Amino acid sequence: MPTALITGPTSGLGHAFARALAAEGYDLVLVARDEARLQRLASELTGTHGVGCEVLPADLADLGDTRRVEERLRRGAVDMLVNNAGFGSRLPFDAADVEDEQRSLDVMVRAVMRLSHAALGRMLEQGHGDIINVSSVSGFLPRGTYGATKAWVTSFSAWAGMRYRDQGVRVIALCPGFVRTEFHQRMEVDMSAVPRWMWLEADDVVRQALADLRTGKVVSLPSRRYKTVVALSRLVPRSLMGRLARRRR
């Protein structure tokens, strides 16, 4: 059986990836901070799909924990890496605790870079492998440090996807918009003003991401509505985008 390592699999897109890949017959390595939730998820997936599930508790804001996950990627064949773990803050940059900003950077940039590097070495030796880095449509827009981290993830993944495809390794950035998950609730952000048409379902996003990966795309923009948003963002002058961003603050 192939094996996939997923970070942040206990909720949201990570949970949807875990269910989808287990249904395809992947054994899973599940990485998150909450060991109890990981164990429950492992039992659920093993019971439903009969796949093997390894639980690896780790806080990717901690470099020591991140290195343990890197070692797991290096020592055992992993056919797919899903870098999904996220970090959000409802405060603007100037009001946020700088240590929270650092943790966000560590989880969404440092960990993505280090885990991708660890997985890539084994995948190139094997001559095959897939890396899915969960980014966001906000990476195409002026959206503070969250958007800036996601811009890095998208740029890095698109480059890696083109660089390593001829060596059998596929890399893709998944860039959804608003997805119905626990993400905003955990940040205690009121999203009631977001129009219904802008929301996506996690299972649909994952289904599209896997299809785009397997057809050779290096960036996945789920749904026509968000493809349109990104296309329009490239036409709007940066000065106007900046004014709109300030107005939201």
Side-chain angles (χ1 to χ4, degrees), residues 7 13 82-89 101 104-112 132-158 172-177 183 186-187 218-221:
T7 69
L13 286 174
V82 181
N83 276 313
N84 166 75
F87 193 107
S89 172
E101 292 290 336
S104 174
L105 194 69
D106 291 342
V107 171
M108 295 193 292
V109 174
R110 185 181 70 185
V112 170
I132 300 174
N133 292 327
V134 177
S135 187
S136 169
V137 74
S138 66
F140 297 95
L141 308 168
R143 296 284 296 169
T145 52
Y146 182 82
T149 62
K150 293 305 187 180
W152 184 91
V153 172
T154 300
S155 179
F156 167 73
S157 304
I172 192 170
L174 169 59
C175 302
F183 184 74
R186 289 202 306 269
M187 288 194 297
V218 296
V219 175
S220 176
L221 282 164

Side-chain angles (χ1 to χ4, degrees), residues 5 66-76 78 81 83 110-126 131 156:
L5 186 148
T66 302
R67 284 175 170 155
R68 288 196 298 108
V69 183
E70 291 175 56
E71 286 305 311
R72 175 61 184 83
L73 287 164
R74 291 193 182 99
R75 75 170 183 265
V78 171
L81 167 64
N83 276 313
R110 185 181 70 185
V112 170
M113 182 271 291
R114 295 185 69 101
L115 299 187
S116 295
H117 187 270
L120 187 61
R122 288 300 298 255
M123 290 176 178
L124 291 174
E125 289 177 8
Q126 296 167 184
I131 299 175
F156 167 73

Side-chain angles (χ1 to χ4, degrees), residues 13-234:
L13 286 174
H15 193 196
F17 269 113
R19 294 196 313 271
L21 293 174
E24 291 187 8
Y26 278 78
D27 287 335
L28 301 176
V29 182
L30 306 171
V31 180
R33 292 179 297 173
D34 190 330
E35 184 172 3
R37 290 186 74 179
L38 286 176
Q39 294 288 2
R40 288 195 295 271
L41 175 60
S43 296
E44 169 197 329
L45 296 174
T46 297
T48 302
H49 301 288
V51 298
C53 288
E54 176 184 343
V55 166
L56 180 52
D59 180 356
L60 296 179
D62 180 90
L63 183 55
D65 279 10
T66 302
R67 284 175 170 155
R68 288 196 298 108
V69 183
E70 291 175 56
E71 286 305 311
R72 175 61 184 83
L73 287 164
R74 291 193 182 99
R75 75 170 183 265
V78 171
D79 303 280
M80 179 181 291
L81 167 64
V82 181
N83 276 313
N84 166 75
F87 193 107
S89 172
R90 62 189 177 89
L91 297 175
F93 178 68
D94 57 283
D97 185 325
V98 72
E99 297 304 327
D100 285 341
E101 292 290 336
Q102 181 65 59
R103 283 189 285 273
S104 174
L105 194 69
D106 291 342
V107 171
M108 295 193 292
V109 174
R110 185 181 70 185
V112 170
M113 182 271 291
R114 295 185 69 101
L115 299 187
S116 295
H117 187 270
L120 187 61
R122 288 300 298 255
M123 290 176 178
L124 291 174
E125 289 177 8
Q126 296 167 184
H128 67 87
D130 296 320
I131 299 175
I132 300 174
N133 292 327
V134 177
S135 187
S136 169
V137 74
S138 66
F140 297 95
L141 308 168
R143 296 284 296 169
T145 52
Y146 182 82
T149 62
K150 293 305 187 180
W152 184 91
V153 172
T154 300
S155 179
F156 167 73
S157 304
W159 165 80
M162 293 182 287
R163 172 67 177 80
Y164 296 109
R165 63 174 30 149
D166 291 341
Q167 295 168 267
V169 178
R170 300 178 293 197
V171 185
I172 192 170
L174 169 59
C175 302
F178 294 112
V179 184
R180 296 188 191 280
T181 69
E182 298 176 11
F183 184 74
H184 298 100
Q185 290 91 326
R186 289 202 306 269
M187 288 194 297
E188 299 180 351
V189 175
D190 181 7
M191 303 299 293
S192 59
V194 178
R196 183 177 300 177
W197 66 266
M198 294 187 72
W199 289 99
L200 304 173
E201 298 298 330
D203 290 338
D204 295 336
V205 171
V206 167
R207 191 178 304 112
Q208 186 64 60
L210 292 171
D212 287 345
L213 173 77
R214 290 160 180 168
T215 55
K217 293 183 179 180
V218 296
V219 175
S220 176
L221 282 164
S223 83
R224 290 182 180 178
R225 72 202 80 163
Y226 282 108
K227 287 181 174 68
T228 302
V229 168
V230 171
L232 290 174
S233 75
R234 291 168 173 160

